[in-house]
Amino acid sequence: MLILGSGGRESAFAWKLSQSKELAKLYIAPGNAGTAQFGTNVNIKPTDFDAIAQFVKASDIEIVLVGPEEPLVRGVHDYFLNHPDLSHVPVIGPQKAGAQLEGSKDFSKQFMARHGIPTAAYRSFDRSSLDAGLAYLDTRQAPIVLKADGLAAGKGVLICQSIAEAKEELQAMIAEAKFGEASSTVVIEDFLDGIELSVFVLTDGTNYKLLPSAKDYKRIGEGDTGLNTGGMGSVSPAPFADQTFLDKVENRIVLPTIEGLKKDGIPYKGFIFIGLMSVGGEPLVVEYNVRMGDPETQSVMPRIEGDLLDLLQGVANGDLDRRSFSVSGKTAATVVIVSGGYPGEYETGKTISNITSVKESLVFHAGTTGEGEDIQTAGGRVMAVTAVKDTLFDALQQSTADAGRIYFEGKYFRRDIGFDLLNF
Ligand code: AMP
């Protein structure tokens, strides 16, 4: 098996898959210092399709799991299908057409509108309709949300506190290419006031399984302040997502999504990550992603009791309905340790010590390099520390304490991840 990616998400996948009795050999491209515990790292970029193809053939890879969105949006799955000597190798992750659910906000809004999936009211505008966009803003109320249509490394969403600010930003996005090509089309969307959570689905295109829910923390600062990051922590389950709420999510959102993909003739084998807003207990879709979340995967995987490889084979074979797993009743809490300065500029190459002093949490490497005891930082998000405990409180205490045990110069982590959820 080959996993594409190098973050904490891929570490959690590697950890989980390495427990499968059916796994003969695991490779991670490119992986990090931590994934080397669970398999063999291969120095190939997830977007270098030719190099991946060569490796897959040379190493008799039988299944490929794609971690991040970029290779999917760029068509890694289509690449495999279009090469006769690779087309028999299943790829977990949608083809380009399905990846548009994440690759284009306008596409995903149209998809939701077409299939009656609840989401915020919206309109899309480009250079030819900029004036209409400015006029549309006059008909809306602040706060209002502007979204660059394309992938913008998590930065393309602006929540504007006044219509005047929104007008300025709309001009900057469309006319001045604030997010490059990604903002040549902009979705203007009503602001949803509620609590956010994520629901994860694994599908073979016909059958699906709901995976555990999670809540993530995106801001750099405690109390959800400061700049947005790739993610500073997560908790699974989201305690406010009770069965009644999850039933609404399944009936109003998950089922119509799977059916909608079928009706539209879009094949889909892989994960669907549904970002939701609970507005007064009613779920609305904020976004689709076409892969698992990071750091949500680090909280979700430890709660899946069963063989992940068996589930992925079910996706590949189209018989996911014949595979099963159960979900642990425990709570998982993940705290991400980052390099000082992140999400702005930060230094790398700092020696990381005391990793082995963590005894009661899982340590998932992200931006790390090196071998054995000699591990250095190599990215903004360096590690994720996940504790799984009977109660939310114990999981939060343990993961926060264990994140404190690991040391490198300039290290930072949030000490408040998940504590806001204790009141639910
Ligand atoms: P997205 O990339 O679409 O998930 O947007 C990034 C973040 O912006 C989300 O996780 C939300 O926190 C916020 N956001 C996006 N759309 C809305 C909305 N319509 N109302 C409120 N917040 C939103």
Side-chain angles (χ1 to χ4, degrees):
M1 166 153 208
L2 173 65
I3 301 176
L4 299 183
S6 62
R9 166 183 50 213
E10 288 75 22
S11 290
F13 277 142
W15 167 79
K16 184 72 186 159
L17 287 163
S18 69
Q19 297 162 24
S20 169
K21 288 193 188 69
E22 293 184 56
L23 183 78
K25 187 125 178 57
L26 179 64
Y27 296 93
I28 309 99
N32 57 47
T35 54
Q37 298 164 63
F38 310 117
T40 306
N41 291 340
V42 194
N43 194 12
I44 300 175
K45 278 200 206 125
T47 48
D48 187 348
F49 299 167
D50 292 337
I52 293 167
Q54 261 188 353
F55 179 77
V56 165
K57 282 186 268 183
S59 306
D60 289 328
I61 297 298
E62 291 173 36
I63 184 165
V64 179
L65 169 60
V66 185
E69 62 278 15
E70 204 185 339
L72 295 168
V73 174
R74 290 209 205 171
V76 68
H77 194 155
D78 313 64
Y79 182 100
F80 270 64
L81 291 174
N82 293 335
H83 284 70
D85 47 350
L86 291 174
S87 56
H88 65 285
V89 181
V91 176
I92 307 301
Q95 295 159 53
K96 229 175 180 174
Q100 285 295 93
L101 279 182
E102 175 163 3
S104 166
K105 301 270 188 204
D106 180 50
F107 175 90
S108 79
K109 295 296 282 189
Q110 287 191 34
F111 177 87
M112 288 184 260
R114 198 157 56 239
H115 301 295
I117 296 166
T119 186
Y122 86 106
R123 293 259 313 264
S124 296
F125 301 93
D126 61 15
R127 194 176 269 274
S128 68
S129 55
L130 178 54
D131 288 341
L134 296 169
Y136 177 70
L137 281 171
D138 277 325
T139 70
R140 311 314 291 174
Q141 283 186 340
I144 185 100
V145 185
L146 304 189
K147 299 184 173 184
D149 175 56
L151 288 185
K155 298 196 176 78
V157 174
L158 301 176
I159 297 174
C160 300
Q161 296 304 326
S162 72
I163 296 299
E165 180 192 341
K167 285 183 173 178
E168 254 175 56
E169 292 290 0
L170 185 69
Q171 300 252 26
M173 287 170 89
I174 293 178
E176 291 147 41
K178 177 164 179 162
F179 300 107
E181 187 53 29
S183 65
S184 58
T185 297
V186 172
V187 168
I188 302 180
E189 183 177 285
D190 287 355
F191 179 79
L192 299 173
D193 195 4
I195 317 168
E196 256 185 292
L197 75 152
S198 306
V199 165
F200 302 93
V201 179
L202 181 63
T203 182
D204 60 12
T206 303
N207 311 290
Y208 67 86
K209 304 266 188 218
L210 279 186
L211 304 178
S213 67
K215 171 154 182 60
D216 81 327
Y217 293 81
K218 288 202 178 71
R219 302 295 195 93
I220 188 71
E222 291 179 4
D224 291 328
T225 54
L227 294 173
N228 259 325
T229 71
M232 296 297 292
S234 61
V235 172
S236 176
F240 47 88
D242 58 16
Q243 200 52 50
T244 311
F245 181 81
L246 290 174
D247 287 346
K248 289 180 190 170
V249 172
E250 185 162 7
N251 292 325
R252 298 178 195 172
I253 295 167
V254 177
L255 271 166
T257 299
I258 304 290
E259 287 303 315
L261 287 166
K262 267 203 258 181
K263 277 186 205 150
D264 291 350
I266 300 173
Y268 200 109
K269 285 179 182 290
F271 293 98
I272 310 178
F273 159 164
I274 308 176
L276 295 171
M277 193 74 82
S278 167
V279 181
E282 305 303 319
L284 287 101
V285 177
V286 172
E287 65 166 344
Y288 286 111
N289 294 304
V290 297
R291 32 91 197 168
M292 285 294 290
D294 186 340
E296 292 94 330
T297 309
Q298 294 90 307
S299 290
V300 167
M301 284 302 135
R303 294 190 59 232
I304 294 180
E305 295 176 338
D307 186 339
L308 179 62
L309 182 52
D310 183 56
L311 294 172
L312 299 184
Q313 283 171 329
V315 171
N317 297 342
D319 61 4
L320 188 57
D321 53 329
R322 299 220 293 268
R323 322 276 173 151
S324 63
F325 67 99
S326 53
V327 174
S328 158
K330 294 185 177 184
T331 294
T334 300
V335 174
V336 176
I337 309 175
V338 304
S339 298
Y342 174 83
E345 274 182 43
Y346 55 84
E347 291 178 28
T348 57
K350 306 291 183 193
T351 297
I352 308 172
S353 54
N354 278 345
I355 304 172
T356 51
S357 71
V358 175
K359 307 280 188 216
E360 288 200 50
S361 297
L362 298 159
V363 177
F364 296 118
H365 289 231
T368 65
T369 184
E371 275 173 34
E373 302 281 278
D374 186 24
I375 309 283
Q376 292 98 37
T377 64
R381 290 193 294 166
V382 175
M383 283 181 173
V385 178
T386 300
V388 184
K389 293 281 174 187
D390 287 335
T391 67
L392 172 62
F393 184 76
D394 287 349
L396 299 175
Q397 279 224 312
Q398 189 71 51
S399 55
T400 306
D402 282 336
R405 289 188 167 87
I406 295 169
Y407 178 77
F408 57 88
E409 191 189 315
K411 107 178 215 210
Y412 169 76
F413 65 97
R414 278 179 58 171
R415 289 178 166 75
D416 67 333
I417 297 297
F419 283 93
D420 58 315
L421 301 176
L422 287 170
N423 303 325
F424 283 96

